[in-house]
């Protein structure tokens, strides 16, 4: 029998249920939030003077899979300075920017995070991602397969066969046990197969007679036909290039007419990297005001920040051509990994420097996006781990969002020319704890369509974080360091109804669920897909049809979301 | 007039025969036949005066082993001899790792000579007993 | 009699890890193997044969291996590992990832060093990746796109027999087509030329420069179009004879040759006639082919990692590839040997951050090849026990390393008899993964594939994973943490 838990006297921030710092007791039984428990039998956690929030939800963090593991392989120097010794309850491991699997789970849990999504897995290597997820403890997790350059998608969209395209996407997501549709530099990765790229959403993809616009719109329609819980998750074209904010605006505009109700249909990820103004690195400037303006006026898009941290980290994206540019720019070591028929990837270590004009501008863009977009439900906190910096630095971002003083102190150390041009110093807005709860849990959970996560209402998963900071006594604007410290080490993390972290240390190791979408299309359509694929499989891949799908038993704890498609 | 000792460069590596025969058992005769061999350039064999199938002794700074000389199928590679991976090759390879963990399995200076009659090719067990005292 | 056919079977032999085999099973025995190379066929047909396997666990008593119960053997193995102060756990490349995961947990528990066969294989390549990176791709990308294929210091015909046929020169791809016809034409020409040469019995030096001539004997239009195969090796291997260009490099001078190619790619003129035994004229021509292609790929083998230069050779090969990307699309990939050596590196890396030679004696993963690599530990004589899983170091390590390995207690988990198991103190026979047990393994390009169980193992034999779990459990019991 599972333990009953009662969290008493805490200041609860539960935005989905509209609770803003009120003292509410949270009762937990059998891994769920319940109305009440028997106080005599339950374990009592006294959260007096502390903040109680739903467990953190990260919708974009590269934590597993082929690319992440190549990053680990590439950077022994990253691990040597940061390691974790084996304890009675935890396995050993290494950090820093690309931690080993166990360490990843522990570190998220220590910060009060309980759900994390990896945003970029090559379907052909999905089995690898699942193997790593099986070794990533403490959190519920899942991943988004890369679909924007899959030959089947390109061909069906080119031929105007949206329903067939949807059925194939359904087959793929269900087969590899993925969660959402991910596009990375759509069309550009196929072009990268021959060392080329596309330079706008209307630049045709070589050999395929199709443009990125067609792909984005096509997959957006597919997403709607399949009733997937999350919007299409887009890493736009031209990422990392000065002037690319127009591409971002074009991308958001190109699906504007597809919106049906108020439900967002496109998530533009790590937007900081895609909100550059200027014509070159010397004239780089923030495009955040323009993007924020658009987002403020429209309901069909959401964003996440992709904030950068001034540290030594490792960039890794499926955007092969961008990573090559970064390699030429930095002269650092470079991994590229193209995947047949599907996608590509690249990895380059980077150090974001305060003295660098470009890096300082980048830093301001991320924060400007978060502060200029009025509705916090539309922009979530990420560092695009590890691209902007490791996830362990989220508390630093929280401090910047909550404190103007924290921002000013950082700006004092930045490149002066960059600071002189920033909009950021003129922004007074400071996030409240309530807004932080939206940006780090409620917002991402809602965006992902995870109904049991990101809130503390009755029936929700009992994933709870308790932070030792008293919102009635601490003024985050001035005492941001206290806030930062509290968010680094949760006083308690409760996962599935069990206390797994106390005072920032793991007290119990456990395995979370692997969440995936099991999409049901019409049986006749599914049959056609299987028949067609069987016939053509060897033309496209170098593995056999039978060996491609991943059986459910392969997942250590499988949590399928059953989804009925419109086709 | 043939030389008594031939200075060569020793390369060890995989061969398809070794790859196939190891699946028939590492203690099988097929495996023995395929790896206790030294593949030589015919010109080198001529110079040394050894015939196909004769026993030769390969000696390096690190050890000495008797194996069967066979004519290379693909020539020329005068001055280079090849022994497939296996217990016999391992006796003579260079253990130096140059601080990267990897011994020299290729490009080792060696001498090849006709094996004296009293030194036959050792079987696997004989080889293990002779060099490691067990097996 | 029952007959069944199993399709899409993966082949647990080499890093090509073909997954299109078709096996016929009659009465619980594999009787026919379709689509496999000679090595794969031999493994499925003969490896499970009982005559060269241990069928019972063995423990050494009075210098002789005698039969023991599984419990006894597991207990003995656990004692050896738990009592040792610096044990090594070696092998792993011929077993599945599931077993490797347990192996690492075991190494962590006993505070030992865990190392895989990459240490004496592509270990230098992994270190080179850590120096300079690695632009690589999956093999299908080569099949679909590559119009120049370079095999450097490797011999796929013998070590990865179906690599050329499935992934590089012979298959049809979306943008490139098969080169069978050209190969057959050339084969005919070569056979003819050989006959003439034999008649002439020419000077060896003339023979050495003949290979490039091969192309002039073919019709030029055949040469201009389609894929080109370049082979660089110290020996004229069979794949060399299939090549459009064969460059015979002097043993141990790959580094010089790589440096020369890098210079040429960067447009520097070489003021010598010959580098590493190769005429500069030929190199200039080859470089011209390399920079004018649409998609080129270099596959390199142990000729680079095992000979003079080692890590530096691979560093340079990768840098050459990176330079070539200024001119065209170029990628590079190591020809990994064992069917799951790539998987071993992958599991090591995600659990510990490092691909091989991981030392847990400090309570956390520590890595320093040259210090924590198993051959170095043996040469220094530091270890005091060893567990070998699915590998044969006694046959393949230098003599001096083996001497220390067998001096200390040695536990072996292996499906078949080998030199190492003959020297062991405890032998625990296991089922063949990929034949008698299932699991996951990684192709040389990091594509993971399932290993199938197609027949039952001999009675009483467990998988590597199960045996390791038992040992781990026993070790924890001894240490009082279970």
């Amino acid at each position: 029998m599972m333990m009953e838990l009662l969290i008493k006297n805490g200041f609860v921030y539960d935005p989905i249920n509209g609770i803003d710092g009120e003292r509410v007791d949270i009762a937990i039984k059998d891994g769920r939030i319940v109305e009440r428990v028997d106080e005599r039998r339950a374990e009592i956690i006294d959260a007096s003077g502390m903040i109680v929030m739903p467990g953190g939800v990260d919708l974009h963090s590269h934590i597993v899979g082929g690319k992440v593991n190549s990053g680990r392989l590439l950077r022994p120097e990253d691990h040597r300075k940061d390691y974790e010794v084996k304890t009675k309850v935890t396995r050993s491991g290494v950090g820093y920017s690309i931690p080993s699997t166990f360490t990843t789970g522990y570190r998220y849990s220590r910060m009060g995070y309980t759900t994390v999504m990896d945003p970029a897995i090559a379907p052909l290597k999905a089995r690898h991602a699942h193997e790593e997820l099986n070794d990533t403890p403490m959190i519920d997790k899942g991943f988004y397969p890369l679909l924007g350059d899959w030959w089947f998608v390109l061909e069906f969209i080119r031929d105007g066969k949206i329903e067939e395209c949807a059925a194939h996407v359904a087959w793929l997501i269900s087969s590899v046990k993925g969660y959402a549709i991910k596009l990375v530099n759509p069309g550009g990765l196929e072009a990268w197969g021959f060392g080329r790229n596309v330079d706008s959403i209307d630049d045709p993809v070589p050999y395929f007679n199709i443009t990125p616009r067609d792909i984005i719109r096509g997959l957006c329609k597919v997403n709607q036909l399949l009733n997937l819980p999350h919007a299409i998750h887009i890493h736009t074209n031209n990422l990392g290039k000065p002037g690319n904010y127009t591409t971002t605006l074009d991308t958001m505009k190109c699906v504007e007419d597809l919106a049906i109700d108020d439900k967002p249909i496109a998530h533009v990820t790590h937007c900081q990297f895609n909100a550059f103004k200027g014509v070159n690195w010397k004239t780089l400037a923030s495009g955040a005001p323009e993007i924020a303006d658009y987002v403020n006026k429209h309901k069909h898009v959401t964003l996440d920040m992709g904030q950068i941290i001034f540290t030594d980290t490792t960039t890794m994206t499926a955007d092969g051509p961008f990573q090559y540019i970064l390699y030429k720019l930095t002269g650092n070591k470079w991994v590229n990994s193209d995947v047949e028929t599907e996608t590509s990837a690249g990895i380059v270590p980077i150090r974001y420097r305060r003295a660098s004009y470009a890096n300082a501008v980048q830093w301001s863009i991320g924060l400007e996006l978060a502060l200029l977009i009025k509705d916090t439900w539309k922009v979530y906190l990420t560092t695009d781990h590890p691209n902007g910096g490791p996830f362990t630095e989220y508390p630093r971002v929280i401090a910047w969002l909550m404190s103007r003083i924290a921002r000013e102190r950082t700006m004092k150390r930045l490149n002066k020319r960059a600071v002189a041009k920033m909009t950021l110093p003129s922004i007074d807005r400071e996030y409240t704890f309530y807004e932080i709860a939206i940006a780090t849990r409620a917002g991402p959970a809602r965006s992902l369509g995870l109904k049991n996560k990101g809130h503390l209402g009755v029936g929700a998963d009992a994933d709870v974080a308790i932070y030792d900071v008293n919102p009635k006594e601490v003024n985050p604007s001035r005492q941001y360091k206290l806030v930062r410290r509290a968010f680094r080490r949760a006083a308690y993390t409760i996962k599935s109804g069990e206390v797994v972290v106390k005072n920032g240390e793991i007290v119990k190791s456990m395995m979370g669920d692997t969440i995936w979408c099991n999409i049901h299309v019409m049986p006749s359509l599914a049959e056609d897909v299987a028949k067609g694929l069987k016939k053509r499989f060897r033309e496209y891949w170098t593995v056999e049809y039978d060996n491609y799908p991943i059986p459910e038993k392969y997942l250590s704890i499988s949590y399928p979301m059953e989804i009925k498609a419109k086709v | 007039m043939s030389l008594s000792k031939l200075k060569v460069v020793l390369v060890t590596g995989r061969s398809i025969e070794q790859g196939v025969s190891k699946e028939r058992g590492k203690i099988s005769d097929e495996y023995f036949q395929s790896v206790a061999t030294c593949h030589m350039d015919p010109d080198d064999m001529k110079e040394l005066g050894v015939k196909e199938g004769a026993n030769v002794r390969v000696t390096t700074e690190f050890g000495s082993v008797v194996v069967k000389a066979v004519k290379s199928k693909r020539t020329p590679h005068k001055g280079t001899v090849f022994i497939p991976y296996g217990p016999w090759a391992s006796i003579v390879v260079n253990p130096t790792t140059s601080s990267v963990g990897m011994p020299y399995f290729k490009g080792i200076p060696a001498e090849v000579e006709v094996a004296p009659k009293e030194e036959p090719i050792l079987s696997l067990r004989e080889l293990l007993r002779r060099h490691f005292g067990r097996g | 009699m029952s007959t069944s056919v199993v399709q899409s079977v993966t082949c647990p032999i080499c890093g090509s890890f073909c997954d299109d085999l078709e096996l016929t099973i009659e009465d619980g025995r594999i009787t026919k193997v379709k689509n496999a190379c000679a090595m794969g066929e031999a493994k499925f047909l003969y490896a499970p044969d009982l005559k060269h396997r241990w069928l019972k666990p063995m423990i050494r008593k009075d210098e002789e291996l005698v039969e023991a119960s599984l419990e006894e053997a597991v207990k003995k193995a656990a004692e050896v590992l738990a009592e040792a102060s610096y044990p090594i756990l070696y092998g792993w490349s011929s077993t599945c990832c599931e077993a490797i995961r347990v192996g690492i947990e075991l190494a962590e528990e006993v505070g030992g060093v865990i190392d895989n066969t990459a240490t004496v294989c592509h270990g230098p390549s992994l270190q080179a990746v850590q120096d300079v990176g690695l632009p690589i791709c999956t093999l299908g990308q080569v099949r679909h796109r590559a119009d120049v294929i370079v095999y450097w210091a490797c011999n796929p015909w013998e070590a990865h027999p179906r690599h050329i046929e499935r992934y590089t020169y012979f298959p049809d791809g979306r943008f490139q087509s098969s080169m069978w016809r050209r190969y057959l034409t050339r084969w005919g020409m070569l056979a003819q030329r050989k006959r003439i040469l034999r008649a002439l019995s020419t000077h060896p030096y003339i023979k050495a420069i003949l290979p490039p001539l091969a192309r002039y004997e073919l019709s030029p239009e055949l040469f201009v179009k389609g894929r080109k195969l370049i082979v660089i090796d110290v020996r004229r291997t069979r794949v060399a004879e299939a090549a459009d260009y064969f460059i015979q490099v002097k043993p141990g001078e790959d580094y010089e040759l790589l440096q020369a190619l890098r210079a040429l790619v960067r447009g520097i003129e070489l003021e010598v006639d010959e580098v590493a035994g190769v005429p500069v004229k030929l190199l200039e021509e080859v470089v011209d082919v390399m920079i004018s292609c649409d998609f080129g790929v270099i596959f390199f083998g142990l000729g680079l990692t095992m000979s003079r230069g080692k890590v530096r050779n691979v560093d340079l090969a990768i840098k050459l590839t990176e330079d070539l990307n200024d001119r065209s699309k170029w990628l590079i990939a190591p020809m990994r040997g064992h069917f799951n050596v790539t998987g071993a590196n992958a599991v090591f890396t995600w659990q510990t951050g490092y691909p091989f030679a991981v030392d847990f004696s400090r309570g956390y993963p520590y890595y320093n090849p040259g210090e924590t690599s198993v051959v170095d530990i043996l040469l220094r004589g530091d270890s005091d026990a060893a567990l070998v899983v699915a590998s044969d170091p006694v046959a393949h390590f230098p003599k001096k390393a083996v001497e220390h390995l067998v001096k200390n207690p040695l536990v072996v988990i292996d499906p078949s008899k080998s030199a190492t198991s003959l020297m062991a103190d405890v032998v625990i026979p296991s089922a063949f993964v990929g034949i008698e047990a299932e699991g996951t393994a990684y192709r040389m390009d990091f594509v993971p594939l399932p290993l199938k169980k197609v027949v039952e193992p001999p009675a009483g034999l467990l998988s590597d994973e199960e045996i390791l779990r038992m040992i781990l459990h026993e070790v924890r019991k001894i240490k009082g943490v279970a």
Side-chain angles (χ1 to χ4, degrees), chain A residues 235-295:
Chain A
H235 158 141
T236 57
N237 302 103
N238 282 334
L239 179 133
K241 284 185 211 157
N244 62 15
Y245 80 102
T246 55
T247 310
T248 308
L249 289 173
D250 288 345
T251 304
M252 297 192 289
K253 280 178 199 158
C254 93
V255 292
E256 215 177 281
D257 62 312
L258 299 177
I260 297 168
D261 40 35
D262 286 351
K263 193 176 181 249
I265 54 168
H267 178 82
V268 175
T269 193
H270 41 69
C271 195
Q272 172 272 128
F273 289 106
N274 236 68
F276 294 175
K277 230 193 222 173
V279 290
N280 56 32
W281 290 107
K282 281 185 209 158
T283 56
L284 185 75
S286 169
E290 285 81 356
I291 288 175
D293 186 51
Y294 181 88
V295 173

Side-chain angles (χ1 to χ4, degrees), chain A residues 179-235:
Chain A
Y179 188 77
I181 296 175
K182 176 71 183 293
L183 296 87
V184 171
N185 185 3
L189 307 192
E190 165 49 37
W192 179 241
F194 284 117
R196 283 179 260 171
N197 198 355
V198 293
D199 62 15
S200 79
I201 70 166
D202 294 310
D203 190 10
V205 183
Y207 305 108
F208 280 87
N209 194 21
I210 187 178
T211 62
R213 180 189 296 273
D214 300 330
I215 303 171
I216 297 164
R217 286 180 62 83
L219 282 176
C220 195
K221 288 180 207 162
V222 163
N223 203 52
Q224 290 173 322
L225 284 176
L226 295 180
N227 281 325
L228 289 178
H230 186 37
I232 52 169
H233 199 95
I234 316 172
H235 158 141

